[in-house]
Structures are given as C-alpha cells and as structure tokens.
Amino acid sequence: MCPVVHSSQSLHTRYTTRVSISKPPLCKMSMDSRARGVFAAAVEAVQPDTVVRQSIERKKDSVIIDGHKFTLKNNLHLVGFGKAVLGMAAEAERIVGDHLVKGVISVPHGIQQTLQQHGKGHLLLKENSRIKVIEGAKHNLPDADAQEAAEEIKQLASRLTEEDLLLVLISGGGSALLPAPIPPISLQEKLDVTRKLAAAGATIQELNTVRRALSFLKGGGLANFAHPAQVIALILSDVIGDPLDLIASGPTVPTEVWPEEVLSVLERYKLLNSVPSSVNDVLGRASPRESKDKSSTSGHVLNAVIGSNSLALKCAGLRARELGFRPVVLAPGVCGDVRSVSRLYGLLARFACSREEPPPELAAEMLRLGPEVGVESWDLCRTMQVFEEGRTEGWGATCLLAGGEPTVELTGKGRGGRNQELALRVGVELRGLKHPPNGPVFLSGGTDGQDGPTEAAGAITDAGLCEEAQAQGLDIETFLTNNDSYTFFSRLSAGKRLLVPGLTCTNVMDVHMLLIPPIPINIR
C-alpha cells in the first residue's frame, strides 16, 4: 500500500523540519493564457534544429555524439524520415556538411512550402545542399512517393563500406515515410491493415509491431543494409517510454520479428480473418527479412534519443514556475482509452481542489484507474501527497503536467482528435467545481500542432464548459458519440477554447496540463 497521508495534522508534523519552500512568483495573466504559454514552452524545447545542435559536438575533423567520438574524412552520408526531419537535416548539414557526401530524406508532402510560408526558413536546406528531399505520405499515410524515398534510402545504405558513417535522422511520422513492404504485400494492403488497426483503437506500439513485421527497413532492416558502415541514429521520440525498437518502427534497431506477436495483435482487434493472404504468407515464413549476423550489426549502430516528451515536460515545468505555478510531473506515458484518462484527471482535480480532507474514495478510485492508463501507483501517491502538502503549507497554485498518447475508439464520423476529445471529456468531469480563476483549467495538446485531421492541436477546458455549451444549445453527448470534438469547440464561443499553435515542426506526443489555483482550506 502506498503512503498517502490523509491527516492534515500528521502532514504538518511530518514536514515541519523541512526547509521552507519559496512560493512561485505571482502572475497577472489569465489561467488560459498561462496554460497556452506553458504548452508553447514544451514545444519550443523539442524544436528539430535545437535538439540536433545540442546533440552534435563538432571538434575539427571529428564529432562527439552521446559520448562517442567519430572521425570525419569526407565519409559522411545522411538519411532521414519523419515530420521533423527537414529541420534536423538542415541543422546537421550546418554542423558537418563539409564532410557530407550525399543524403536522402523522406518528409511530409508540402512541408518545404509550408515552412517557407510560415517564416521557418531556418529549418530548410540551403540551395546547394547535398541532401535530396523527397516529399510524400499525404495525410500521414504511406504512398508511392514515400515508397520511392524508402527505396532510395535503401540503395544509399546498401552501397556503404566500413569506412563510411551513416547519420540517420528519425522523428515522429517516420513509419509512414519509410514504407517498404515485403513482397508479395502491396503498399495498399499494408495501409489497409494499418488503417483497420488504428480505427479499432490500437496503440502506437501495437501499430508499429505490425508495421515492423511487414517491412524491409523497419525492425533493424536499415541497419542491416548499411552494414558494415558505422550507423549513428539521432531520434526525436514520439513513443511512450522512448523504446528504440518502436520509434518509427526501429529501422536502426536489430529486432527479432515474432509472427505470433503480430497475429496476437490482429486477433485482439478481431482482424485476423480479414487480413490479405499476402500478409499471412509473410507472417508464415521462418525469416521474413534478410538478416545479417545480428551481433556484428548491432556493434556498428549507435542510437541516441535527443528529444522526447520527458524533455518537453521538463521545460514546460520551468515555464510554469516562471508563471507562478509549482510544477509537478505526473507521468510521461499516459495511455489507454480517453474515457478512463479523462476520469483520472477529473478525480485529480477534485482531490486537489478539495477545501477539506478529500474522501478516501477519491484516492481509491485513482489508484484503481492509474495502471489502466499508464500511471504508476507510486506516481499517483506522490502527486496526491504534493497536493496535500500544497494545501497545508500554502504553496499556492500548482501545475500538474503529463504526457503520452491516449486512444479513442471511433464510434462516429465527426472531426477531431484524441486531445480535443480528452479536453471535452475532462470538461464534463470538472462539472460542479469552481470556474477560473478560482477553479482548475485543463489543457491537452499534440506537440505536432495537429490533432486528428484538424488545424487544432487540442483544446482548453474548465468547470464552466457544460453551462457554456448548454447556453449555446450544444449537446456535448451528441458530439462525443460522433467523435466530433473539433466541431463542438469550433462552435462553442467562436472557437476560443481551441489550441491552434500553427506549424510546430516537431512531434513528441501530447502534453496534458491541469492548472490548480491556490485553494483556501477549512482547517479543523
């Protein structure tokens, strides 16, 4: 049983010997503005050029990356794939371009024009760049252009020798931008399987497990083709826990493919009997991918995570403190159905906003829900204790931060994404609490700036949401049933609750934020 302290007196006694903690500075900005400011700081921390610049140390004709030194002698080749890779490649070329022989990167369709239009020229390659850019994967779905890019990347890697260095840049969206299905699987067949899994509510880990097994380059395939060259992968992680084998489906991580694991995922979502025969053919083979000796390959690969959700949350916390909040990170791996996630945040808000000792049922339900949504019991206990201390010791306002990627089971055909739906559901959970500035504010936003097929990254909500919607004739339940959170927030008060940061140029999953104002307590 974890050590949740329920007595104000015992908390006071227990912490009287501590050094007094200074309160964060007062801030006159609205809760809404401060929430948006903290989210902006999270995104800024994981900009593609910033993370590359901080990870490559150039010393004359060598570089130091993740504590390892590599000699440069006009032997550097570069490949990359992902939503943030163009900016990563531009910065890498600025640092080591004098030794670059050739490069190929696969980036989202229209990204160069979009960056230019948004004044992000520093994330574009120079005119005389040695890196070839191929745009593909419209709507974040693998297509013929992305497949052409994957083939060129494979060919470049295959020609390398033991004298060469291959710098691999990876970010979110990398799976869709590096499609190389194993014959006889067609690109369309692989896409259909992925679509059905996503619509059924499969996690990003499950999607990547399946994509990896059906691809030449994923699951260490790229590293195999590059052998015996030295491979250095710089990774901007968009997966919970930063597991190297799942980020972009692990093209530089030698991984065993277990057909049984893939079949288990398909069976879990009742898709086992509807996959094409070509998929069953590939999964039925003993070794679906050409593989060199795993031990010799892995010794020539360095994988370094240079940006992640944890880094974004850390910098968000620093900004929160500047804006008058005491920052607390709950967890960087929140997952599971948005219904359960929203319930947990609602309970945390009620616990934190209680003017008296919260009823034990609140803590009990949170501890039951925690493991279901990727939050350890210890982290919940720690967070509840911080809220208790905040009340008794008068810390003032608190900013609870978390990251991750919840899932939405599609029941309708509306527009929206997991962040907007989560915000909408949390707004319902907060009903009955005080309105800002005396009540909590919740924000959920995707760091890639796009939540589902919409211009919004997420939304901001509070305890006044239901009354506001009712006054404007908007039935929340109808919008939730149709997965139409974007339409709801667009119509509600002219869209003022939507989070629309524009082009963020990065992706490290989502940021969740619960702002708790100072709560005056009744001391008995």
Side-chain angles (χ1 to χ4, degrees), residues 89 116 301 418 455:
Q116 197 75 59
V301 179
R418 60 182 177 267
E455 63 175 0

Side-chain angles (χ1 to χ4, degrees), residues 167-186:
L167 184 61
V168 184
L169 307 175
I170 302 173
S171 77
S175 280
L177 286 157
L178 197 72
I182 299 171
I185 301 172
S186 70

Side-chain angles (χ1 to χ4, degrees), residues 153-173:
I153 287 170
K154 187 177 91 169
Q155 292 301 327
L156 184 152
S158 299
R159 289 192 287 266
L160 300 181
T161 71
E162 61 184 6
E163 297 296 318
D164 292 312
L165 296 175
L166 179 64
L167 184 61
V168 184
L169 307 175
I170 302 173
S171 77

Side-chain angles (χ1 to χ4, degrees), residues 432-498:
L433 294 176
K434 288 187 178 294
H435 297 190
N438 301 313
V441 166
F442 178 80
L443 176 149
S444 184
T447 55
D448 63 354
Q450 190 174 20
D451 187 41
T454 75
E455 63 175 0
I460 302 175
T461 191
D462 55 55
L465 182 80
C466 292
E467 292 172 31
E468 195 177 318
Q470 190 174 11
Q472 295 174 40
L474 299 172
D475 180 47
I476 290 177
E477 198 53 47
T478 300
F479 286 99
L480 284 173
T481 301
N482 196 33
N483 299 116
D484 205 13
S485 52
Y486 176 73
T487 304
F488 170 83
F489 281 116
S490 297
R491 292 181 184 174
L492 184 74
S493 303
K496 72 172 185 179
R497 291 178 178 270
L498 282 171

Side-chain angles (χ1 to χ4, degrees), residues 42-70:
V43 171
E44 186 61 34
V46 287
Q47 285 299 295
D49 56 332
T50 301
V51 294
V52 168
R53 189 162 54 249
Q54 292 173 345
S55 64
I56 301 178
E57 183 183 354
R58 177 72 188 265
K59 288 192 172 181
K60 295 184 180 178
D61 286 341
S62 66
V63 288
I64 298 173
I65 297 174
D66 198 31
H68 299 262
K69 187 175 181 179
F70 302 97

